[in-house]
Every structure is written in C-alpha cells, then in structure tokens.
Amino acid sequence: MANYQWYPGHMTKAKRMMQEDIKLIDLIIELVDARIPLSSRNPDIDELGKNKSRIILLNKSDLADTRKNKTWMEYFSDRGFHVLEINAKTGAGIKSIQGVVQEACKEKIARDRKRGIINRPVRAMVAGIPNVGKSTFINSFAGKACTKTGNKPGVTKGKQWIRLNKGIELLDTPGILWPKFDDQSVGLRLAMIGSMNDEIVHLDELACELIDFLRAEYAGMLENRYEIEINDEQSAYDVIKSVCISKKCFLKGEELDIMKSSAMIVDDFRNGRIGKITLEMP
Ligand SMILES: Nc1nc2c(ncn2[C@@H]2O[C@H](COP(=O)(O)OP(=O)(O)O)[C@@H](O)[C@H]2O)c(=O)[nH]1
Ligand SMILES: [Mg+2]
C-alpha cells in the first residue's frame, strides 16, 4: 500500500519533473484505477500533456465492475483519449497496446515519414498516482524482451529508456503525480481502494461508508460474502456487528471486535473478494 502524503513542496517538485520529462516524449500512457477512474487522476495531467498523444489505461480492471469498465471506456474515448482496460498484474489487455500506440501516434509517424524519418520509435512515459500499478505495468509491458538503452548524450541527458522491440521506447521512471485528495469524496474513494495512509483513516468509518455504498449499488454482495442477512432498518454499524458474529470476530469474552471486522471488510473489498465493484460513475 502506498503510504503517501503530499506536501506543497512535493507537488511542485513532482510537477517540475513531469514538465522536464514531457519534453522528451511523444506519448503519455496514463494509468487510472478502474474502480475510481476520475478520482485516481491527477488534476493537472491534461494541462501538462496537452500537446502529447494520450492513452488512458483502466488498470486493475479485474477488480472493477465489468459493465462499468465499458461505460468508462466510452467516457474517455468520447473525450478524445485512446483507452484500454488492462490488468497489469496478469498482463491481460497489454497485447493490444502496441496497436493503440501506433494509432495514438499516427500523426507523428506520418510527420516523420514526410521528413524521411522511418521507424523512429515512439517515446512514451507512464504516469499516474501512487499505487495505481505503474511499476507492475512497466514490468509486464516491457517484459524480458527489452533492453535498457542507457543515456543518450545530448538528447536524453541522464535518462534511462527501456527499448521495447516494437517501435516504442519507454522512459524507465514513471511520472508520479498526486491525486485530487483535497476533494473530500475523492479522498474517501482513494482511502477505500487503499491509496491513502491507513493511519490517517478510521477503518470502522471507512467500512461504514463501503457498506452504505454496497447496499445501495451492489445489493446482495455483502450478504453473500459474509453469510449474513441485512434488513432496511439496520445501520451500517449493525452490519459490521453481524459480520463480527458471522465471522467470529470477538474480543475477550463475547465483546464484538468491531475494528477487526471493519478491517476485514475493507481488505476484502480492496482485494476483490466481495466482488467486482466500481465506486464511481461519470
Ligand atoms: N488486482 C490487480 N492488482 C494490481 C494490478 N496492477 C497492479 N496491481 C497491484 O497494485 C499494487 C501497486 O502496484 P505498483 O505497480 O507498485 O504501483 P505504482 O505505485 O503505481 O508503481 C501492487 O500490489 C500490485 O500488485 C492489476 O491490474 N490488478
Ligand atoms: Mg512504482
């Protein structure tokens, strides 16, 4: 889990690094979390990348609602992005990226060709908020069939590139930017997927929020997972208590261990054990 907190100094530095790196590349491959595709985006990335080709990858699509992944694909493609759903961990969806890169960069490739430059690789950078899967993606995208090209004097001072044998060079350090955590509902969703420091989050409150959301949007899932019955009169807190009893979360004696079952619910959600769940819609 990413235990990060951003301070103004960090944010300025991260942005400056992105601005420098962006000068070196043709294409930004932006990872978002398929469970919260908007809340997991950096507020400044569209401005930073405004003259670049853009691909958005809905990562962790295995954890998100399959039907809602399609809705989000349409949402981003309606806004002019090339978009794919992937699972960086298993590599699912990654095969298609090569074609999408060519498509996203076809104007640049045509421009090169006109100038007599043939097969100059597309230079790309991976970007996204912490914990969204950038390192996992770079590993599975680059795989073993890549070589680090090292420094290129003059052109890419001090930068490491990963050459994929497919007409793409990837900057080996991803762009890391902060999320929009200053918005409270965004902060809550980031906390739900585990992108906030759990020390600054109250797990019982987080579990209550999750329970309220799941009861409204994914009826039956909690009942199935925890073998409990839920009726309309019960509060979220009552549901946590039912989970305590069903899953035998007790303190000394008969006292219910609310924190233990809260942590269990949150952890089960984060790891997809409650079901494939998307927390926000366009
Ligand atoms: N279920 C699932 N987990 C993923 C996926 N991609 C990354 N992860 C996990 O998410 C966590 C953060 O990934 P990491 O690559 O370190 O994120 P980074 O901070 O953006 O570099 C790790 O535990 C990964 O195994 C995915 O597509 N599906
Ligand atoms: Mg990383």
Side-chain angles (χ1 to χ4, degrees), residues 59-63 86-89 129-137:
N59 191 37
K60 308 199 186 185
S61 61
D62 55 307
L63 300 175
I86 66 160
N87 174 346
K89 220 159 128 179
I129 66 168
N131 212 35
V132 75
K134 296 177 296 301
S135 302
T136 311
F137 169 72

Side-chain angles (χ1 to χ4, degrees), residues 73-260:
M73 300 262 291
E74 277 168 36
Y75 172 90
F76 287 116
S77 88
D78 286 350
R79 278 154 188 80
F81 294 99
H82 295 269
V83 51
L84 275 174
E85 56 179 294
I86 66 160
N87 174 346
K89 220 159 128 179
T90 62
I94 286 180
K95 274 203 311 282
S96 323
I97 294 178
Q98 177 61 19
V100 177
V101 169
Q102 297 304 314
E103 180 62 28
C105 296
K106 66 171 183 248
E107 281 163 25
K108 176 205 116 58
I109 293 165
R111 228 182 302 124
D112 278 358
R113 192 163 296 150
K114 242 184 221 160
R115 297 203 222 120
I117 305 165
I118 295 162
N119 294 337
R120 184 166 78 82
V122 168
R123 296 211 181 95
M125 93 184 278
V126 172
I129 66 168
N131 212 35
V132 75
K134 296 177 296 301
S135 302
T136 311
F137 169 72
I138 290 174
N139 284 336
S140 58
F141 187 42
K144 290 184 187 72
C146 71
T147 48
K148 298 213 171 179
T149 58
N151 295 345
K152 289 184 177 174
V155 192
T156 58
K157 226 180 327 172
K159 293 290 168 187
Q160 285 272 337
W161 295 84
I162 302 166
R163 166 162 250 155
L164 308 168
N165 300 324
K166 314 164 191 164
I168 308 173
E169 282 187 0
L170 206 60
L171 203 54
D172 90 333
T173 43
I176 306 167
L177 290 169
W178 61 95
K180 291 173 269 203
F181 47 60
D182 45 332
D183 174 331
Q184 221 180 349
S185 61
V186 170
L188 179 62
R189 290 180 195 130
L190 288 163
M192 285 177 174
I193 66 161
S195 279
M196 298 291 253
N197 189 339
D198 268 347
E199 275 136 49
I200 60 169
V201 169
H202 298 280
L203 282 176
D204 51 343
E205 286 169 25
L206 205 52
C208 283
E209 296 282 354
L210 258 176
I211 288 166
D212 285 338
F213 175 81
L214 293 174
R215 287 171 83 180
E217 299 293 330
Y218 291 93
M221 273 195 183
L222 287 166
E223 288 89 333
N224 282 343
R225 173 71 197 170
Y226 299 108
E227 302 170 275
I228 54 174
E229 308 246 316
I230 304 176
N231 66 53
D232 290 345
E233 271 79 71
Q234 286 176 305
S235 67
Y237 206 77
D238 293 330
V239 174
I240 297 180
K241 289 183 185 166
S242 301
V243 173
C244 279
I245 294 163
S246 173
K247 295 295 157 192
K248 302 190 168 53
C249 303
F250 298 113
L251 294 163
K252 282 191 272 335
E254 298 285 88
E255 206 183 328
L256 302 180
D257 193 343
I258 297 291
M259 290 318 285
K260 186 174 176 188

